[in-house]
Amino acid sequence: MEELLERLLEQCRAFTSWGQAADYIPELAKSDPASLGIYVIGSEGKHSWAGDCHQPFTIQSVVKPILLLQALLDNGTEHVMQRVGVEATGKPFDAINAGDQSLDSGNINPMVNMGAILMCTLIQGKDYAERFQRLLELTRRLAGDEEIDIDEAVYCSEKTHGSKNRALAYLLKSHGLLEDDVEEVLDCYFRACSIRVDCKALAHIGAVLSNRGRLPASNQRIFPAAMSRYVNAILMTCGMYDGSGEFALRVGVPAKSGVGGGIMAVVPTRMGIGIYGPALDRKGNSVAGIRLLEQLSRELYLSIF
Ligand code: GLU
């Protein structure tokens, strides 16, 4: 497996020059666009890796499935479905969907920013500091790393340059879909996006989702199997932004990307995969990361289709 990962990584490294690091959050522009790393945790517990897989980066949108899990654990499926739907928007992650239809709860997708901001209100806790702390603890458990914390510089950068997310949150507020103080909700969202991870952490989260809610090593259950079906289904249709359809064709497994360059992929019953490649395509997905997953999927017959 290591040899295969090394070979594919070297083949795909050239694609890093096809994209650019995100710069709308200035702190993210400091990442090295030539980086590329992969980490795989198999269902039998074997770890394999290649490239820049120990490089830390911020989780960004890969936190959305964790937010969804926390919302499901705290409220149950029915309540969550009344607040955020499951249908793909087919629009960019930060699109301001102001049409009446898109502001219907059923059309607010949890894998794009508007839905993720709304999900922060579904986490239970006496205040937003406690809500974020509970999300962080779930992330640590899923990632198998108790040391995980936020990257203060990225958090401050997001908070300072988050006008579009503010617009989305106020839009929700103006339609009566968000009751709490907008700045407090956004603070929780910005912190959530700024959680610092590496490829191993993302692979571990993917492995729990591939193992139907159980930790890969101990088999300890973290969430019910029904919730992994719920989350994996949404990742399949909406996890790669408005590039999810093409990703389903090219790779064929549930996955979530983030503008920090991370991709967390779930190969049901087989493995979790963590990728880092901060050079992004126009849709916000890691260019070389997708190539790497595509090649790996072809070599190991990973597509679920
Ligand atoms: N923090 C980023 C934002 O809100 C997350 C976007 C992403 O990774 O897709 O713009």
Side-chain angles (χ1 to χ4, degrees), residues 24-25 60-61 64 93 113 158 165 189 193 241 258-259:
Y24 76 100
I25 300 169
Q60 298 298 336
S61 273
K64 286 169 180 156
F93 63 90
N113 291 13
E158 287 222 42
N165 286 319
Y189 173 74
C193 292
Y241 311 122
V259 294

Side-chain angles (χ1 to χ4, degrees), residues 260-271:
I263 303 177
M264 182 268 299
V266 182
V267 187
T269 74
R270 290 180 65 185
M271 64 185 76

